[in-house]
Amino acid sequence: MAEASGPEPSWPLLLPVAPMAEDWLDCPALGPGWKRREVFRKSGVTCGRSDTYYQSPTGDRIRSKVELTRYLGPACDLTLFDFKQGVLCYPTPKTHPVTVPSKKRKKPSKPAKDKKRQVAPQKNEVRKETPKNETKTATAASPPSLPAPGCCENCGISFSGDGTRRQRLKTLCKDCRAQRIAFNREQRKFKREGCGECTACQVTEDCGTCTTCLLQLPRDVASGLFCKCEQRRCLRIVERSRGCGVCRGCQTREDCGRCRICLRPPRPDLRRQWKCVQRRCLRSKHGRRRGGCDPKMTTRQRSPRAQPLPPPPPPQPPESPELHPRALSPSSPAEFIYYCVDEDELQPYTNNRRQNRKCGTCAACLRRMDCGHCDFCCDKPKFGGSNQKRQKCRWRQCLQFAMKRLLPSVWAEPEEGPESPPPNPRRKRPSSTRRPRVVTTKPPLVTPASQEHCAQTPMKQEAGSSFVLPPPGTDLVFLREGASSPVQVPGPAPAATETLLQVKQEKMDTPEDWTPGTAILTSPVSLPGCPSKAVDPDLPPVKQEPPDPEENKEEEHKTHPICYSAPDEEAGGAGTPVITEIFSLGGTRLRDTAVWLPSLQGRQSRKEAGRKVWKTKNTLAPTSTSWKPQGWRGTHAGLSPPPTPIMWVSCRRSWCPSSQS
DNA sequence: GCCAACGTTGGC
DNA sequence: GCCAACGTTGGC
């Protein structure tokens, strides 16, 4: 029998004579950390009866409802709490579960619509008095078992779910879910700000001896906790990555074979491997330790090698394989500029919140039909999907916006009026104003205009001899393809230059698989001051419809160059600006790049981080493996799922001569 | 840190 | 009121 917590103090003296017959089980109905166990009497006239005991998160033990009431205080209404079963009973639909004083329970906001949809059925079928035998089966006197269908994994009560289409990884009733969310939210706050009450939060000065202090990590990095003095990290932060080890989930040794995770096909290509639902920790926490931070963070902090800090410009570039350009870049000689964008730089686009992803003019925006093949389309109900991702068709996601995000310095030229994003993202540019599609297949040309532009707008700075800093005001890293390091940039500027945007489909780790080709991103995403190229008549016809991802995998490696374009119907003829060649560079590239970018490191709030994720994910990275290209290996550390049509943008252009001197 | 999931909201 | 999909967040 596994005891959930440490030595038993005086408590055993109060126990019935009969030995404990059951393990401690979580009792989420009372809140995180509460445990319950049921003991069957094995002798005497009451043999067969059971006694129920509870243990509070602090280890206090309660053996009766009266004790529990006393323990929780008068503010806590236990009338709905079934002490014997350890569940909340809802004789009427409007009642609320017991409130544990130490836990603030917030109801997640629900849209009115959802309430309308969900509350009604609950009134009839949910929160009714839980049948005792059913509850007993679910909560006690049985080995760890699956919750019955429609039963909350935590409290075991039956409920109707929160929607017919929703598939949640964890089957929780409304209250348990709210409780869980509130708990997680609270934990975030503790990590971010601390509780302000614990002894650690009262400490006002760094200890000077912990790893964080010794390494003098900047204080504005990451979540705030990350580089906070270990002695000042809120003690109310609980670990949860490894599980508590004692709950039913943690003690389950084998996959259930029945849950959603077990039933779905294995996804070894995914970096994130999902755990059987039945094996997940029900408490999501275990022993609190001094410092109280996430163990993963601790690990990183204690390992200088794993420091997340942006490395200073090294005299000798590190040879980290993950950051090594040879592992990331194509082999053909070219130069690539990787941009990462701060949110501020996108202000004109982000002001308009839900409309800020549409330029209204690019081929993608002009496309009216979903492709029906991409992962997002497949997710749509109209294509038979489950509406879980709820994202716009890959082929309809604004190209201009992606470019804007990736090439802010290029877009920021106010005098480039016609090429600037329209003030109203929804406004569609008349087709007559569109520039003709310009396509090329040849290496870039040197043009005075482009060089002039570069001279006017220095695009890079060199720090030392090998490190290139982003231009002022941008998060920009210059990489030279084939260089030995992402931060190693050759001195003399290459002769060839072009304001040529390449949207490349990456074959991670396999430079030989790259399809070095050409891509012209024409108006409206052409670079100011840099000429477009002439159309190459030899260019193969542009594909008009995204092929089936799977079918496309082979073909896209046979054909070259790869030319993606909106379908005829959408492209509006020759005038539609089109990205004619797309290489999908994994979002990893952006993340890896971010490692080199001090301005992207650490100082982002979660919200900002979320936006960055959006950049990498929603615009640049897939959320599905359905677009896994040939050559994708997925073993590269930090790899995101395989690419989709628009994954990354690199810009081939010359080094600014003015910055070379 | 990352991603899947989904709450929410703007547009129709 | 419905739908598309944006933006957030829970879970790993």
Side-chain angles (χ1 to χ4, degrees), chain A residues 464-545:
Chain A
S465 61
S466 61
F467 186 65
V468 179
L469 296 175
T474 66
D475 290 321
L476 167 64
V477 164
F478 290 76
L479 299 179
R480 177 162 188 169
E481 183 180 334
S484 60
S485 166
V487 294
Q488 194 169 32
V489 177
T497 180
E498 178 177 304
T499 52
L500 168 66
L501 289 178
Q502 286 188 321
V503 185
K504 287 202 167 187
Q505 184 152 25
E506 181 184 33
K507 316 297 182 298
M508 294 300 295
D509 305 333
T510 55
E512 67 278 8
D513 287 341
W514 274 63
T515 309
T518 55
I520 289 295
L521 188 63
T522 60
S523 169
V525 287
S526 58
L527 304 177
C530 300
S532 299
K533 295 204 53 148
V535 175
D536 187 329
D538 297 332
L539 191 75
V542 169
K543 292 177 184 175
Q544 295 302 313
E545 189 70 25

Side-chain angles (χ1 to χ4, degrees), chain A residues 335 462 480 489-495 655 660:
Chain A
E335 292 158 6
E462 289 198 16
R480 177 162 188 169
V489 177
W655 301 118
Q660 297 297 327

Side-chain angles (χ1 to χ4, degrees), chain A residues 300-480:
Chain A
R300 286 192 218 118
Q301 285 180 335
R302 289 176 180 171
S303 170
R305 184 168 53 97
Q307 284 300 323
L309 296 176
Q316 296 298 325
E319 291 295 309
S320 166
E322 288 186 25
L323 302 183
H324 201 291
R326 290 198 183 280
L328 297 171
S329 305
S331 57
S332 62
E335 292 158 6
F336 293 89
I337 304 169
Y338 296 96
Y339 293 82
C340 294
V341 187
D342 263 346
E343 197 62 27
D344 292 346
E345 298 167 4
L346 301 167
Q347 202 57 38
Y349 262 47
T350 54
N351 280 341
N352 201 7
R353 293 195 49 94
R354 291 179 75 89
Q355 281 303 310
N356 61 12
R357 293 193 190 186
K358 299 175 186 174
C359 70
T361 61
C362 72
C365 286
L366 292 173
R367 179 169 180 158
R368 294 189 298 273
M369 303 294 291
D370 293 336
C371 74
H373 295 290
C374 70
D375 54 338
F376 290 155
C377 280
C378 290
D379 174 61
K380 294 178 184 296
K382 66 182 178 183
F383 294 116
S386 56
N387 199 33
Q388 290 181 324
K389 295 177 181 175
R390 302 176 186 173
Q391 301 297 310
K392 188 191 286 184
C393 169
R394 296 281 188 189
W395 291 90
R396 295 181 59 215
Q397 297 197 357
C398 179
L399 304 175
Q400 192 171 351
F401 180 64
M403 296 300 171
K404 176 67 178 179
R405 296 193 83 97
L406 293 168
L407 297 168
S409 59
V410 170
W411 283 87
E413 301 291 338
E415 59 274 16
E416 297 294 320
E419 302 302 326
S420 300
N424 180 359
R426 297 281 292 176
R427 184 175 49 131
K428 293 185 178 180
R429 179 188 279 174
S431 58
S432 59
T433 63
R434 296 183 202 133
R435 286 190 177 182
R437 182 191 314 174
V438 184
V439 172
T440 183
T441 62
K442 296 303 177 185
L445 302 174
V446 182
T447 64
S450 62
Q451 292 185 357
E452 182 180 336
H453 173 73
C454 290
Q456 292 167 351
T457 309
M459 295 301 290
K460 70 186 182 74
Q461 300 171 355
E462 289 198 16
S465 61
S466 61
F467 186 65
V468 179
L469 296 175
T474 66
D475 290 321
L476 167 64
V477 164
F478 290 76
L479 299 179
R480 177 162 188 169

